[in-house]
């Protein structure tokens, strides 16, 4: 009887672990269904606040930037492929596009906007 209980716990733990690792990929796939703006070698996706943006922000493979200087520095970081710009960041859409256009390294940038924008 104990072996059955242990198997259930192990399976449950494995399913939770899988869900935790897959959630950022699901969020990324959902927001990537929109048409991106291509600037240089990078793609800029405008996303609205929601569960997808929360997961992207918490993903360990994503760097969150809050101003133009941090965005510029993110393009020099070779291990960073995904950049997240939160809605309350002090950076505009035009600045993001200019920075993306200047750099040859292709990055994926998610820019969180209000639903009304």
């Amino acid at each position: 009887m104990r072996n059955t209980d242990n198997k259930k716990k192990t399976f449950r733990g494995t399913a939770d672990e899988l869900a935790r690792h897959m959630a950022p990929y699901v969020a990324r796939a959902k927001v990537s269904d929109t048409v991106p703006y291509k600037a240089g070698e990078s793609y800029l996706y405008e996303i609205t606040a929601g569960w997808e943006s929360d997961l992207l922000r918490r993903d360990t493979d994503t760097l969150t930037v809050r101003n133009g200087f941090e965005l510029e520095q993110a393009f020099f970081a070779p291990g960073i492929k995904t950049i997240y710009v939160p809605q309350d960041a002090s950076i505009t859409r035009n600045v993001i596009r200019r920075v993306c256009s200047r750099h040859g390294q292709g990055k994926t940038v998610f820019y969180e906007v209000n639903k009304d924008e």
Side-chain angles (χ1 to χ4, degrees):
M1 192 92 168
R2 282 188 177 173
N3 288 341
T4 305
D5 291 339
N6 287 340
K7 287 181 182 177
K8 286 182 182 178
K9 287 181 184 178
T10 302
F11 175 74
R12 182 62 171 163
T14 304
D16 289 343
E17 183 82 10
L18 180 62
R20 189 168 12 94
H21 288 293
M22 288 303 297
Y25 295 105
V26 172
R28 189 181 309 262
K30 186 168 185 319
V31 297
S32 297
D33 282 345
T34 61
V35 177
Y37 177 85
K38 186 159 178 18
E41 296 300 314
S42 298
Y43 291 95
L44 172 61
Y45 291 91
E46 292 186 3
I47 61 173
T48 56
W51 67 268
E52 300 93 345
S53 61
D54 288 339
L55 285 173
L56 284 171
R57 181 180 20 236
R58 291 183 299 193
D59 186 13
T60 57
D61 293 333
T62 302
L63 178 66
T64 299
V65 299
R66 299 198 166 274
N67 57 49
F69 178 74
E70 290 178 356
L71 178 63
E72 195 79 47
Q73 293 303 311
F75 274 90
F76 290 108
I80 301 298
K81 294 183 181 168
T82 306
I83 302 168
Y84 179 81
V85 183
Q87 181 177 333
D88 62 348
S90 59
I91 187 169
T92 65
R93 182 180 291 113
N94 289 333
V95 170
I96 295 170
R97 289 177 179 173
R98 280 198 312 264
V99 171
C100 289
S101 295
R102 272 200 303 265
H103 294 281
Q105 304 91 345
K107 307 279 184 179
T108 301
V109 180
F110 293 102
Y111 177 51
E112 185 180 54
V113 297
N114 288 326
K115 291 180 182 178
D116 299 333
E117 288 187 48

